[in-house]
Amino acid sequence: MVPTISRRQALTGLLGGAAALGLGSACGAPALQLNEQAATGQPRAGGVMRIARPAASAAETLDPASSLSAYEYLGAIYNRLVRLDRNGETIPDLALEWSPNSDATVWTFLLRAGVRFHDGRPLTAEDVRYSVLHILDPDTASPQAGPLSIIDEIVAVDDTTVRFVLGTPNAEFPSLLTAYQCYIVPADSAATIGSTGIGTGPFALTSFAAAGAGSVIANPDYFDGAPALNGIDFYSIQDTSARVNALLARQVDLLSQTNLDNPTARVVASSNGTTVASVPNAQWYTIPMLATSAEFADPDVRMAMKLAYDPTAILGTALQGTGTAGWDNPVPPELAAWADVPRAHDPEQARSLLQKAGRADLSLPIYTSAYEPNLTAIATAYAEQVSAAGINLQITNVAADSYYTEVWMVQSLMVSYWFTGRPIDQLLNQIFRSGSSYNESAWSNERFDQLLDSARADLNEESRRSKYADAQRLIVEDSPELTPVFGDRLVGLSEEVVNYDEYGFEMDYLRLGLREA
Amino acid sequence: MIKMIAYRLASGVITLFLAAFFVFFAVQALPGDVAEQLLGQNATPEAVATLREQLGLDAPVWLRFVQWLGGAVTGDFGTSLVSGESVSSELWSAFGNTLLIALPAIVVGIGLSVALGVLAGARRGTTTDSSISVVALVLMSIPEFVVATVLVLLLAIMVPIFPAVVLQGSEATVTELLPSIVLPALTLVIAMAAYIIRAMRSSTIDTLASEFATTAELKGVRRRQVLLRHVLPSAVLPVLPVISINVAWLLGGVVVVESVFNYPGLGKLMIDSVSTRDLPVLQAIAVLSALVYVVVNLLADVLALLLDPRQRSLESSTRRRRKQEVTP
């Protein structure tokens, strides 16, 4: 955490400078001052927290493998084999240790002994085998089935040993099991798990209604000790302003999956009894330029789109400083695998690149929507920036509910975002590899794909990391994907809440609590 | 009169059919379908195709419409594409919740605004009149979501008397909902009162200037008596259409208000089904809303006939005249 804070402080200083030069004075408001993180402290015993969440739809389920899982519940009631820490390293959860064979094609995991599901059944290697096979089952249509399809065979060696046999060598295989679809459920539970929610987690399910209210209660037998809270009540509130009203009226203590826009964050931060915590760099904002489009098939045009803008200015105006400038490297700076890839801000060179490509009068729409509160601000700031290089972008705002079906991967230029908290191997393979279903810019680079393959096969930590660094360099130099900024997620919560922390698609449910009276 | 009702009922059925027809094809024209909406960003072409097949969406549009219509006639609206529950049960429970806020709003709103309208009309030109008119004008021009937000700010956040939103979902019981109905109902009263007050005021002024009202006044009937006995029944007639439109609007589910209060009524059900492209639910809501419009307007017309004997005779005399024209 220490290097993160100093980096952010350095940034704040930089932004202050930008504001003094007149960049920030246009909007008149001072930069948003918010807590670095939620309050910490001794939680009171027996607290029950109320969390408001936007439900995915009336078809949502507690089956973690599904793309419709009610994801706030998952971290409370289930465990994975392994999870991610802040640096992107894989750390133990239900598995205590794991090791590959000599060419990383067979991985053996040793489970914790004595872990029990909420219904009293002991956790065994068979449950792990079943859970992963359930993800791979085509009928489940799990989003994680693709990345895990490298698994050829799963063997429950004995009660606490499970072995994965892979089709290709993969030194980063354990990190694939950190995805939030990979929670472990009891064997033979596929038909019922969506409503029973039986897991090994710190909380046990007491009730659940799709798109409705539900609750969980502390699991006193949790292997890592009982959680600070006695229980959590979840409520589903679809409308963002209704969710904020519920917090301001103290009907709920925390808004999950809600990145407050800056004006709302100000209201919540200055209201009595409520505050705002930021999850640093939780939102990875992107501007994919579709490589299959007429404009962006040319690498010179792509490079010009990069050279033409200054990410720090976008951070200052669109996010009012709450985040980190991206400089087109999609890897969040917290990850140990992050590489420093310098990239110039040079509108003049951008102009000459466009001239060379015969696109000196580049003019096209940039699509945005209210799907996420910062998308339009980022689109506007970016369009303003690149106009210095003679690029004319028309902001085109479209309906939010069809944005990801009609615009994403269809229009040549749009603003989008992802959550950070993916391990490096999954991030690069899922979003940048040729042909991946998540490859939003339709980039295809043979050398990049080879680099990823050779990194996966490389058991040497150091040389693997340097391959990932080369891959990042390739993305900055050639890919049609812009990463202008990483944004902090601004989370509204009650001043009563202590130890709120969220990373890698999961809250820290064990330590989360309510302040002592 | 019976004939009139029968004629209106027949045109009502046609209205219902047209409403269902247009909603069905309007939703078809929306970008994306339920399979894509359900799978969202995780949609792979294979997954979308599988889900479409499971939901029967690969059948031709016309066939699906006819199948749905066949069920709807018998009161079977099918099952929701999203939740898999019966549409009828979802629909009636949401409609019941909407009634819970709409009925008090209608009773209080109509009573209050008719009284205020008569008061303003009777005291035309006084401070009472101008204050009522100005307030009504201001309220008319404020969108209801602003009214709702201000009410939440005042009565739920600054002075926490009422809950700001409904926390329980559609499974909430009536007792759980009761404390939460005050603010939405109040918002609806404010939203509809202004129109009725304006209409009632000008109608009262017109009626006060009519011969029978001036005669009554000249004969020495007390002002209050003139207003209540003579003016009010006649003055309310031209306002009935305004009232019926507002009532139908309330019962049809007030989308914005229910969304702001997270109120599990018909309006919120409609928003959710639009965003998930849940066609069966959406069509059922459209048919129910159309039904409410038809019934409420019919009731308003019948009420007008009962209140005003002249209209009754007018109606039969026009019909007689028409008949004479047809017969040689």
Side-chain angles (χ1 to χ4, degrees), chain A residues 16 32-33 95 150 166 220 258 298 309 316 319 387 402 454 486 508:
Chain A
L32 190 53
Q33 289 294 319
I150 53 166
L166 311 181
T258 309
D298 186 341
Y309 84 103
L319 298 188
S387 65
S402 55
S454 100
F486 293 98
D508 183 351

Side-chain angles (χ1 to χ4, degrees), chain A residues 73-204:
Chain A
Y73 286 82
L74 305 183
I77 56 184
Y78 301 117
N79 290 102
R80 289 166 278 201
L81 276 188
V82 282
R83 56 197 180 91
L84 276 190
D85 75 356
R86 288 260 172 208
N87 305 320
E89 304 293 330
T90 308
I91 55 170
D93 197 2
L94 286 177
L96 285 175
E97 48 189 273
W98 49 93
S99 54
N101 64 350
S102 60
D103 65 347
T105 51
V106 177
W107 281 86
T108 309
F109 287 75
L110 281 180
L111 305 185
R112 259 174 227 276
V115 176
R116 285 181 181 276
F117 284 103
H118 299 142
D119 62 357
R121 266 196 284 170
L123 168 88
T124 68
E126 186 51 39
D127 299 309
V128 175
R129 177 173 176 271
Y130 178 84
S131 301
V132 179
L133 286 177
H134 174 53
I135 296 170
L136 290 170
D137 184 351
D139 284 345
T140 313
S142 175
Q144 194 61 11
L148 290 185
S149 61
I150 53 166
I151 299 174
D152 272 356
E153 199 192 351
I154 309 169
V155 190
V157 181
D158 58 42
D159 271 2
T160 53
T161 314
V162 64
R163 185 168 293 153
F164 296 87
V165 182
L166 311 181
T168 50
N170 196 326
E172 289 279 328
F173 173 71
S175 77
L176 295 181
L177 298 173
T178 62
Y180 74 91
Q181 287 89 3
C182 297
Y183 289 105
I184 302 302
V185 300
D188 300 317
S189 65
T192 53
I193 194 69
S195 53
T196 58
I198 293 172
T200 54
F203 290 89

Side-chain angles (χ1 to χ4, degrees), chain A residues 56-59 67-68 141 143 180 209 211-213 235-239 241-243 245-246 248-249 251-252 371 401-402 404-406 408 416-418 437-438, chain B residues 31-32 36-44 47 82-83 149 152 156-157 160 162-171 259-262 268 272 274-277:
Chain A
S57 88
S67 59
L68 283 168
Y180 74 91
Y235 300 104
S236 124
I237 303 179
Q238 213 48 36
D239 185 68
S241 59
R243 226 175 300 139
N245 284 345
L248 293 175
Q251 285 182 276
V252 296
Y371 193 94
D401 65 355
S402 55
Y404 279 97
T405 48
E406 299 298 307
W408 188 61
S416 183
Y417 80 106
W418 303 85
S437 61
Y438 280 120
Chain B
E36 283 177 355
Q37 296 298 328
L38 279 184
L39 296 171
Q41 236 174 315
N42 296 315
T44 59
V82 174
S83 67
T149 309
V152 166
I157 295 171
F162 301 109
V165 300
V166 181
L167 282 184
Q168 300 85 4
S170 49
E171 70 279 1
S259 167
V260 171
F261 291 102
N262 198 41
K268 189 169 172 313
D272 294 348
V274 168
S275 68
T276 54
R277 310 284 188 266

Side-chain angles (χ1 to χ4, degrees), chain A residues 261-272:
Chain A
D261 57 74
N262 279 306
T264 310
R266 280 173 206 277
V267 172
V268 174
S270 59
S271 292
N272 215 358

